[in-house]
Amino acid sequence: MEENARPGPQGRRGLGVVTGSVMLLGAVLGPGALTLPTLAADAAGPASLLAWALLLLAGVPVAATFAALGGTYPDGGGVAHFAALAFDGRIAAAASWWFLAAVPLGVTAAGLMGGHYVAAALGAGPGFATGVGLGLLAASFALNAVGLHATGRVQVLTAGVLVTLLVVTVAVSLGDVRPESFTPFAPHGWSGVGVAATVLFFAFAGWEAATHLSADFADPGRGLRLATALALAVVTVLYLGLSVVTLGVLGPTAGHDPAPLLTLLQRAFGTAGTVPATAAALVLTFGAINAYLAGGARLGAALGRDRALPRWLVGRTRPGREPRRSLAFLAACCLVVTAPVLGGVLSLDGLVRATSALLAAVTLVGTLAGVRLLRGRQRGTAAVASAFLVVVLVFCGALLALPAAVGVVAVLHSRGSSRGKDTPVSSSETAHRRR
């Protein structure tokens, strides 16, 4: 058999390079690619190309750091596991809270992205787009409540759909790129590049998922590094191609088109491009929402088990049972988020920026843990990745108050809970100490 299905260290069959790279693509590629080119173009114009390029370049040390951490300390706990090893349970709790807080913001943003595509295809207005997005959220909550959450195979399928869609879009649109579309290059000044980078981080928050898969690789060290490198190469080609054709073909309207991929496909194939683009957007959006809700609900229940969150609020993990109380908590958070969206106070752009700020904070904790845990060249790579993430967080501006507030509450709650003698540290930290 090929390397894609070799036996693991204990004789079990583990992930190989091919399957692992596809799983990573499923984590990094998502519905953000459907709308983010517009948000970036609105922030920086053609200069958003620099934001794409900088994030892709900076993604190399970030991805390499998580691959090194996963290969050296393979565990399904991800960033929280590394934070517990490098620092303490309070930092791990803060990272977990940041990710959990990003879930209702991120899934609401994803739902709106899918809604915009359906509305654009049908010629409907923003109210219809919001309704479709909320409908996708409601359907995903219902499925998760009965245990029919998205599996890894569905994630792989949706990643394959998005890769195909992006390849076709870029290929058929390259011939229509016009040089004059890139002038003026920086209509909003060079600071717009930094603003665009904070928006685009939504599309690059996913490399930490490699650490969650690390324990499933047949060869965590070599296999995870190769899978990450392959996924990074594919992401680089697809995102750069997408940004070039979006700006080069749509020109000044690129920053105002809610469904750029749909527009590009319609220009190339006429109305025949509407159905596949819309169907792909719905599948990708629903798959991403389902996966995030399934993971977020289980994280919330795990935090309740470890008393990092109040058990009355999120319950606790129990074998064979769905974390419905944690899911209900996330549903309540989504209702809180959608209220200002329905009132016109919070936009899709604001949701994406807030989610990016939280996920950037999570990723920074992971790379700082790499500085503490790794050695030699790998430590230097982690330091470079950390410096980049600090820059991203600086450009988040006032939105830094969000991870700051969530982190303070998490640390204060962790300190209060740690006074009880029966309060365990995170399960991943406990397992490490037992070894």
Side-chain angles (χ1 to χ4, degrees), residues 45-430:
S48 62
L49 281 174
L50 294 179
W52 283 102
L54 288 172
L55 280 171
L56 287 166
L57 182 63
V60 175
V62 172
T65 297
F66 284 117
L69 284 169
T72 307
Y73 304 96
D75 185 89
V79 173
H81 173 65
F82 305 132
L85 296 180
F87 308 114
D88 57 33
R90 290 187 293 271
I91 302 300
S96 298
W97 277 47
W98 286 331
F99 182 83
L100 192 65
V103 170
L105 295 170
V107 297
T108 303
L112 291 178
M113 290 174 185
H116 281 308
Y117 263 75
V118 176
L122 300 179
F128 182 83
T130 302
V132 172
L134 296 181
L136 289 169
L137 274 175
S140 185
F141 271 111
L143 286 177
N144 272 275
V146 296
L148 298 179
H149 59 274
T151 64
R153 291 182 180 178
V154 173
Q155 187 183 36
V156 170
L157 174 63
T158 57
V161 170
L162 183 55
V163 168
T164 302
L165 181 65
L166 293 181
V167 168
V168 171
T169 302
V170 172
V172 301
S173 302
L174 277 175
D176 294 327
V177 172
R178 304 186 307 273
E180 59 270 21
S181 296
F182 298 98
T183 55
F185 189 69
H188 307 300
W190 294 110
S191 62
V193 176
V195 175
T198 63
V199 174
L200 293 178
F201 192 82
F202 187 91
F204 293 88
W207 291 117
E208 74 279 0
T211 62
H212 295 281
L213 297 173
S214 59
D216 294 317
F217 272 83
D219 182 357
R222 178 177 178 273
L224 184 55
R225 286 196 301 271
L226 291 177
T228 300
L230 180 59
L232 184 62
V234 173
V235 166
T236 299
V237 172
L238 290 178
Y239 276 157
L240 278 181
L242 174 64
S243 60
V244 169
V245 298
T246 299
L247 291 163
V249 176
L250 301 184
T253 65
H256 309 287
D257 192 326
L261 288 185
L262 177 63
T263 302
L264 290 172
L265 288 173
Q266 286 178 335
R267 288 173 65 101
F269 300 112
T271 56
T274 301
V275 173
T278 305
L282 286 173
V283 170
L284 289 166
T285 302
F286 187 76
I289 292 173
N290 227 16
Y292 265 93
L293 286 182
R298 282 153 182 77
L299 172 61
L303 292 175
R305 175 201 61 203
D306 294 344
R307 297 187 184 276
L309 273 177
R311 288 183 179 176
W312 61 266
L313 187 64
V314 293
R316 68 177 78 178
T317 54
R318 294 180 180 178
R321 296 187 61 179
E322 295 298 320
R324 291 190 177 90
R325 186 177 298 185
S326 180
L327 193 65
F329 168 70
L330 289 177
C333 291
C334 284
L335 288 176
V336 172
V337 172
T338 55
V341 171
L342 293 175
V345 177
L346 185 60
S347 65
L348 175 60
D349 181 71
L351 282 173
V352 170
R353 291 175 191 270
T355 306
S356 296
L358 288 164
L359 294 179
V362 174
T363 309
L364 176 59
V365 169
T367 56
L368 288 175
V371 174
R372 189 80 175 268
L373 297 173
L374 299 175
R375 297 290 182 269
R377 182 179 300 177
Q378 293 178 338
R379 171 178 282 183
T381 300
V384 172
S386 299
F388 157 70
L389 289 162
V390 168
V391 173
V392 171
L393 284 169
V394 167
F395 276 102
C396 288
L399 285 172
L400 280 176
L402 183 58
V406 174
V408 167
V409 174
V411 171
L412 290 176
H413 181 272
S414 178
R415 285 179 178 175
S417 298
S418 64
R419 295 182 185 133
K421 294 182 179 179
D422 62 335
T423 303
V425 293
S426 69
S427 57
S428 57
E429 184 181 7
T430 301

